[in-house]
Each structure stands twice: as C-alpha cells, then as structure tokens.
C-alpha cells in the first residue's frame, strides 16, 4: 500500500513542506531515503519501542520510505510521529485513514514509551500548514499553544502516540487548542519587571535613553563600577514602543526555531532583551553551527542587544556586528545552502572608562596613565563606535540623591512621549521601504529631514572645532537632533536640539582620555 504523510522542515525561520511517501510490499526490508540525518535514521528504533509499549506492532513487511524533496536535509527527531503513523497506515494497522491522513500535518518526537516530546520551530510550521490549506495539525501537547497562535488552523495537542492512532481510527477525538491571539497579545504588552520610577537621580542619562528609544539609536553608557549602567539599561525595554502584531509574530518565530519559548508557548508580547556574556563566540552571536540556529543578534530582533563590559568582548565578536547593524539581517552561508535571519536590534552597551574603572570619578582616584586609558578605549574599533549614536557618561550618585525617597518619573509616562515621536517618524518614512525610525536615515533622507539652519550650522562648526569632534560625528549628531525635535513635536531642527545632541558624543572628543 502506498500512502503519504506530511510534515515540515524549518530552514532559517520559515518552514518547507516535507512529504513522507511510504510503500509497503511483501518482504522484510526497511529503507529510509531522502537525505535523513542520523537522528532521523534512528527514529526506526524509537518508533518500534513506542509502538510495542502501547500494544501496537508493525507486521513483517518490506517498507520503503521517501522523504521528499530529497535534496533538503532532514534533521532531528521531530519526524518520529508522522513516520510512525505513516508506517502503521501503510502496513494496514490503522485502517480507513488514507483519505483523512493527508488533511493533517504531523510533527513530534517519540519517547520509548510513546510519549510525545516537545520540538523546536512549531510556529513557522503552523504558519506553513495554514498557508498550504491543511485542515489541522497534530503536535505534542507542550507545543499546542505555540501553534494555536495561528488562526484558521485546527491545532490538536497529544500526549501519546496511542491518542493519535485512536484519532485516525475514529476511536477518540482530540480537543483543538484555542488561543485568542489578539486578546493575549494586548493583555501582556505592558508587563515589565523594571521601571524608571525606581531610579534615583541620573536625569541626564534617563533623558539620553529616552532619546535613544524614540529614534531607535544605539547607545553606549560609560562610567565607574556601581554607577548604575546595567540597572538603567535593563529598564530601557519598558519605554520602547509596544510591538505590533506582525513584529510579535516574527519575533516569536525566531525564538520558536531556537527553542527559547519555554513551556507556556504563545506570543512574545514585549520586546526582547538579550544580554550575552562577554565570553560569547562568533557563531553564538551571529548564528550558525552544524545545524544552523539563530544567534543572539537575531534573538534580539525587534528588541535590545545589551553588551555589558563592552571592551571585554572578543574583538572579532564585536567586529561581526558591524554589517548586521547596517543591514539589519545576517546571512549564514554554507557550501550547499545559506540561511538568512533578521537582526534589527538596538545596540546598548556599557563599559568602564579605564582598566581600574575610576577615571573621571568624582571621589576615587584613577591609577591609570593616559596611555592606559586610551589603550583601553581602543579595544572598541572606530567603525563600531561610528555606529553608536549616543555615548553617555554615567557618574555615581551622591548620598543625598540615593537617600531621596521620592519616586522618579514612571516608564509609562516616558513611553507615551516615545510613542508619539515614533508615530511622527512612521508618517515621515511611510514611503521609504525598510526605514521606520531616525537611526536608519541615509544621506538622502538626512539632507531632506535633518538639515540645520544657518544658526545650527554655525553651532555645529563651532562644536567640531572647539571640542575636537571627529568628522564621523556630524551625521550622527543630525540624526539625534532630528529625534530630539520629534520628541518636542518640532518640524525643523533648532540650535537647541543640536546642542543637546552634541552633548551625547563624549567619546568623539579627542581630549576625552587626557582630561
């Protein structure tokens, strides 16, 4: 008997349909073809054990299984369930399921006792199943909520292979998992662990973070140990604009492929905040590996990548960030294929000003020489620093401000101002594909939307000369000034906006390390 069962393979963050053709004839041979890897080939032993424990048995027969298309490598144990159901149907153990089976897409890993284990990448598979017009999808129960985010697709969660067998034999019905996607999405959009109202003082840094959030600008916080750099960075997601439903779905797909959704599944409703350790490797940062997986820059897509102690990162790891920061995507190339992952993130970094950490500290003396300070700063290359729009000094708070019991301005209030500024930018760049915030402006858009008047140009010229600002700061200052103007609702950039933006370029001053 020849039958077909449908599954899917995840390539990048999208799924491709895999058709498992099974032909059962007289004999005692088993052949699995179609470029399966070792984990797929080992499925035969897992399937035999799972079926035996549940009182099922495959009759002695010659069975040939082809996983098409044959030029796509099939990886992992997620094909156990469709292979098991297909083998039982092809050998006649499951009867009268030939017409019903093609209406469903099946995926799941089998334990030796027949229990269905959760798998990665269920969300892009569910999206593909709906796109191809499948009636439903059967997955492990642990993955059911994740797949049920996709509407107009019946998603059935099963605990054991016996439940799936009974479902196709008509002995048992599986209850579809229902998730109200929009209700869940909007209910959890404003849930944060940290709030700016808990921050004492640091008004200038909070203002810089507000500007960064409003324009999508990368930001570097530089200050002594204990001055609050990490504490402030962790609160930045609470003032970013909420995810749109499309952004939420795209972000959830990436985390689904990486297996990072956790037990609850469902949509990711708040912007990601990824903070990898400085010992991270190139592959872990950008993605890839023998079986390509998204890296930290893709897991931070539509959110924040926080690099604490920036100079301690391997220089090669930092340099590979340069292209994704510009292109907002990363391509992992191999000899036979390439995989593209989105990587549109805000880079937020922090660092000490010198090896001892106390350069320019108000009370503690620095023991580093100017040469040591400059050498420490030189661990960050000019091209990477060029992509960081705001560079802010964070100074330790005096005791009086730390002891102040009055709460600061809440994240909700700051977020409203950020959202208003982002709406202005969305309208401004509505006709520009791929550009949605000021940080992404190119030279043409800068000339159109961020051209200073004569007074502003005179201020810029004086700043470039007096403060020894580098030439690369010119465009960055204009971008940040455009964001400051948007926060105030101003149509044109004013000298005051430029003056504030100039104050956010500390490391561009040639005398910074010798003050």
């Amino acid at each position: 008997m020849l039958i077909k069962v449908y599954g899917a393979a995840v390539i990048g963050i999208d799924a491709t349909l895999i058709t498992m053709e099974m032909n059962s004839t007289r004999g005692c041979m088993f052949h699995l073809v179609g470029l399966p890897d070792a984990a797929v080939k080992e499925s035969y032993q897992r399937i035999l054990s799972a079926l035996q424990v549940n009182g099922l048995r495959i009759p002695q027969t010659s069975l040939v299984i082809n996983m098409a298309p044959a030029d796509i490598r099939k990886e992992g144990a997620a094909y156990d369930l469709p292979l098991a159901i297909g083998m039982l149907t092809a050998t006649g153990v499951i009867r009268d399921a030939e017409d019903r089976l093609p209406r469903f897409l099946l995926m799941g890993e089998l334990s030796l006792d027949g229990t269905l284990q959760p798998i990665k990448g269920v969300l892009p598979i569910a999206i593909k199943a709906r796109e191809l017009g499948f009636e439903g999808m059967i997955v492990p129960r642990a993955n059911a909520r994740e797949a049920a985010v996709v509407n107009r697709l019946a998603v059935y969660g099963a605990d054991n292979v016996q439940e799936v067998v009974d479902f196709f034999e008509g002995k048992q019905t599986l209850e579809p998992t229902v998730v109200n996607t929009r209700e869940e999405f909007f209910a959890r959009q404003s849930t944060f662990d940290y709030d700016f109202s808990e921050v004492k003082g640091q008004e200038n840094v909070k203002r810089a973070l507000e500007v960064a959030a409003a324009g999508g600008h990368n930001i570097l916080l530089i200050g002594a140990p204990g001055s609050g750099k990490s504490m402030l960075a962790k609160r930045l997601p609470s003032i970013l604009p909420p995810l749109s439903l499309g952004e939420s779905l795209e972000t959830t797909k990436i985390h689904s492929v990486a297996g990072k959704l956790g037990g609850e599944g469902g949509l990711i409703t708040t912007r990601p905040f990824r903070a990898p350790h400085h010992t991270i490797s190139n592959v872990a940062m950008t993605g890839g590996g023998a079986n390509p997986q998204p890296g930290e820059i893709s897991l931070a897509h539509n959110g924040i990548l926080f690099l604490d102690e920036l100079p301690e990162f391997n220089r090669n790891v930092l340099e590979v960030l340069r292209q994704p920061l510009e292109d907002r995507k990363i391509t992992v190339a191999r000899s036979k294929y390439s995989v593209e992952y989105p990587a549109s993130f805000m880079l937020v970094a922090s660092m000490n000003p010198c090896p001892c950490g106390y350069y320019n500290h108000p009370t503690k003396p620095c023991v580093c020489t100017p040469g040591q300070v400059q050498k420490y700063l030189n661990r960050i290359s000019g091209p990477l620093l060029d992509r960081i729009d705001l560079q802010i000094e964070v100074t330790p708070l005096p005791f009086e401000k730390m002891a102040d019991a009055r709460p600061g301005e809440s994240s909700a209030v700051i977020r409203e101002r950020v959202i208003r500024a982002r709406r202005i930018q969305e309208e401004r760049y509505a006709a520009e594909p791929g550009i949605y915030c000021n940080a992404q402006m190119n030279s043409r858009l800068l000339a159109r939307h961020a051209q200073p008047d004569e007074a502003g140009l005179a201020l810029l010229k004086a700043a470039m000369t007096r403060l020894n600002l580098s030439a690369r700061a010119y465009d960055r200052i204009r971008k940040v000034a455009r964001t400051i103007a948007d926060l105030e609702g101003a149509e044109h950039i004013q000298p005051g906006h430029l003056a504030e933006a100039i104050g956010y370029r500390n490391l561009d001053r040639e005398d910074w390390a010798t003050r």
Side-chain angles (χ1 to χ4, degrees), residues 113-434:
D113 63 354
T115 303
L116 288 173
Q117 300 293 334
I119 60 173
K120 297 179 181 179
V122 167
L123 181 56
I125 293 173
I127 293 171
K128 191 67 177 180
R130 183 185 66 180
E131 178 187 319
L132 295 174
F134 281 93
E135 178 183 314
M137 179 176 176
I138 301 177
V139 294
R141 194 173 299 280
N143 294 122
R145 278 187 56 81
E146 179 184 338
V149 166
V150 180
N151 54 16
R152 302 193 306 275
L153 178 71
V155 176
Y156 302 95
D159 293 310
N160 191 283
V161 67
Q162 183 66 59
E163 294 179 11
V164 184
V165 172
D166 292 343
F167 174 77
F168 282 109
E169 288 186 331
K171 297 178 181 178
Q172 177 180 341
T173 59
L174 294 174
E175 288 297 323
T177 302
V178 179
V179 173
N180 190 325
T181 305
R182 292 187 177 275
E183 181 181 323
E184 182 175 298
F185 173 70
F186 290 111
R188 295 161 51 190
Q189 271 195 325
S190 301
T191 304
F192 300 102
D193 296 328
Y194 305 103
D195 195 281
F196 271 101
S197 62
E198 303 156 353
V199 180
K200 308 294 183 184
Q202 303 290 13
E203 299 302 326
N204 64 319
V205 185
K206 288 193 283 187
R207 169 64 176 177
L209 290 172
E210 179 182 340
V211 172
H217 301 288
N218 303 321
I219 184 170
L220 172 64
L221 305 176
I222 179 168
S227 57
K229 303 184 296 294
S230 301
M231 177 267 294
L232 287 159
K234 289 177 181 177
R235 283 158 176 77
L236 186 54
S238 66
I239 64 171
L240 287 174
L243 288 167
S244 67
L245 194 55
E247 288 176 328
S248 177
L249 192 60
E250 186 178 31
T251 305
T252 307
K253 281 174 66 176
I254 297 170
H255 286 250
S256 172
V257 170
K260 303 289 186 182
L261 283 182
E264 293 184 4
L267 281 175
I268 291 176
T269 56
T270 56
R271 294 188 181 273
F273 182 88
R274 304 293 301 182
H277 192 260
H278 61 75
T279 56
I280 190 172
S281 67
N282 288 14
V283 172
M285 181 67 82
T286 60
N291 301 324
Q293 291 288 299
E296 288 294 330
I297 62 174
S298 296
L299 293 171
H301 180 62
N302 291 324
I304 293 171
L305 178 69
F306 177 50
L307 303 184
D308 200 6
E309 303 299 340
L310 186 65
E312 303 302 325
F313 281 80
N314 184 293
R315 190 178 181 92
N316 291 334
V317 173
L318 295 180
E319 293 308 298
V320 299
L321 294 177
R322 286 158 53 178
Q323 185 178 358
L325 281 170
E326 292 292 328
D327 298 342
R328 300 190 177 269
K329 62 183 179 181
I330 181 73
T331 301
V332 179
R334 295 292 180 264
S335 59
K336 293 185 178 180
Y337 62 92
S338 63
V339 176
E340 185 176 283
Y341 296 113
S344 179
F345 59 90
M346 268 183 66
L347 176 63
V348 180
S350 70
M351 61 179 287
N352 295 331
C354 66
C356 78
Y358 296 106
Y359 177 74
N360 207 29
H361 195 282
T363 58
K364 295 185 179 181
C366 173
V367 299
C368 305
T369 65
Q372 288 176 315
V373 176
Q374 190 61 56
K375 185 178 179 181
Y376 187 75
L377 295 177
N378 286 343
R379 293 186 185 182
I380 307 168
S381 70
L384 179 62
L385 199 61
D386 185 37
R387 290 162 170 80
I388 300 177
D389 299 343
L390 294 89
Q391 304 151 6
I392 310 299
E393 284 188 76
V394 184
T395 55
L397 286 178
F399 176 78
E400 292 76 14
K401 288 193 176 181
M402 284 191 290
D404 190 352
R406 291 173 296 178
E409 190 175 31
S410 70
S411 292
V413 175
I414 301 173
R415 193 186 200 193
E416 284 300 317
R417 295 197 295 266
V418 170
I419 291 172
R420 284 198 299 270
R422 283 289 184 105
R423 284 177 184 154
I424 293 171
Q425 295 165 51
E426 287 174 6
E427 294 175 6
R428 178 184 300 137
Y429 307 124
E432 304 290 339

